[in-house]
Amino acid sequence: MIEVSNIVKTYSTGEINFTALKDISLKIEKGEFTSIMGPSGSGKSTLMNILGCLDKMDKGKYILNNKDVSNLRDDELAYVRNKEIGFVFQAFNLLPRMTILENVELPMVYAGIPPKERREKALIALDRVGLSDRVKHRPNEVSGGQKQRVAIARAIVNNPSVLMADEPTGNLDTKSTNEIMKIFQDLNREGSTIIMVTHEPEVAKYTKRIVKFRDGEIISDELVKDRLIL
Ligand code: ADP
């Protein structure tokens, strides 16, 4: 489903060039639940931005769902991103003035889905993350864990083929972290493909595979043997 080969990404600031990804190759099949780990600055976000079609690489090849997306124009890349990828961020990135329901409807507004269908789908997604009783609240009126559940509902509402999460539990306590990991495991059992960046080894143990980065290179890629199930 995802196959990148020999990816190179170099950032240029003034006269200084910094190669954040050095010849990365990685394959992720449908139905996987993979953690990306590694120290700060090792290239995790750079890779996620490329896999999520938010940024382009300098060299290499990216096949997403049998389509070569390596050399698309910005507008073509945006189309692929909106159709195929759901994002969850550490800081939730919800709009504070909108209700929870409206936040979840937003990606469908951009996709041009009619209001009635939007509402129905948003309510189904919110039910899936256990927030049916909070739909009229605003983000500030719910807990951090609940905010992240709203963000997950928003990420899955358009049925993306891949869910990408960048430190999704970085701002959460243990109880909320476990709630979020349970939702991810449930979604994964139902067929969702999930890629998650995390610093926390105990959070990575809920996933099926751990890919470790250092200095822009993959230093290990292993299945999780003693996986925790929620
Ligand atoms: P991680 O997510 O593992 O912390 P990143 O992918 O964010 O690492 O960054 C990898 C390296 O690339 C870092 O050294 C960072 O300073 C550099 N970098 C990231 N984004 C930019 C940018 N837009 N311009 C210049 N350097 C960048």
Side-chain angles (χ1 to χ4, degrees), residues 30-167:
K30 186 169 164 35
E32 284 199 31
F33 185 6
T34 300
S35 292
I36 309 281
M37 300 192 76
S40 190
S42 58
K44 306 182 296 294
S45 303
T46 303
L47 177 73
M48 289 292 265
N49 288 344
I50 290 171
L51 295 183
C53 300
L54 288 162
D55 202 359
K56 292 183 185 176
M57 56 214 171
D58 298 314
K59 276 192 208 149
K61 191 168 174 185
Y62 179 9
I63 308 286
L64 173 61
N65 290 330
N66 301 319
K67 185 176 157 66
D68 189 340
V69 298
S70 318
N71 296 305
L72 297 184
R73 293 191 316 262
D74 286 350
D75 59 327
E76 294 169 325
L77 209 56
Y79 177 79
V80 173
R81 180 169 69 238
N82 291 335
K83 195 161 161 291
E84 307 286 355
I85 320 268
F87 291 99
V88 176
F89 303 96
Q90 178 171 4
F92 320 125
N93 296 10
L94 302 174
L95 295 178
R97 287 169 204 273
M98 291 188 168
T99 65
I100 282 171
L101 183 59
E102 288 163 347
N103 267 281
V104 177
E105 284 185 36
L106 207 55
M108 296 183 285
V109 175
Y110 298 139
I113 295 170
K116 188 162 171 285
E117 192 183 338
R118 281 198 314 248
R119 186 126 308 186
E120 283 167 8
K121 287 189 167 165
L123 287 170
I124 290 169
L126 282 163
D127 186 45
R128 219 164 160 193
V129 298
L131 282 180
S132 295
D133 57 344
R134 293 284 188 277
V135 301
K136 299 284 186 206
H137 288 67
R138 281 172 217 282
N140 285 342
E141 296 164 349
V142 301
S143 70
Q146 289 171 327
K147 286 192 188 80
Q148 198 56 302
R149 280 149 64 188
V150 177
I152 294 171
R154 182 183 57 185
I156 61 175
V157 79
N158 275 339
N159 285 322
S161 48
V162 191
L163 193 56
M164 294 198 179
D166 197 347
E167 298 276 1

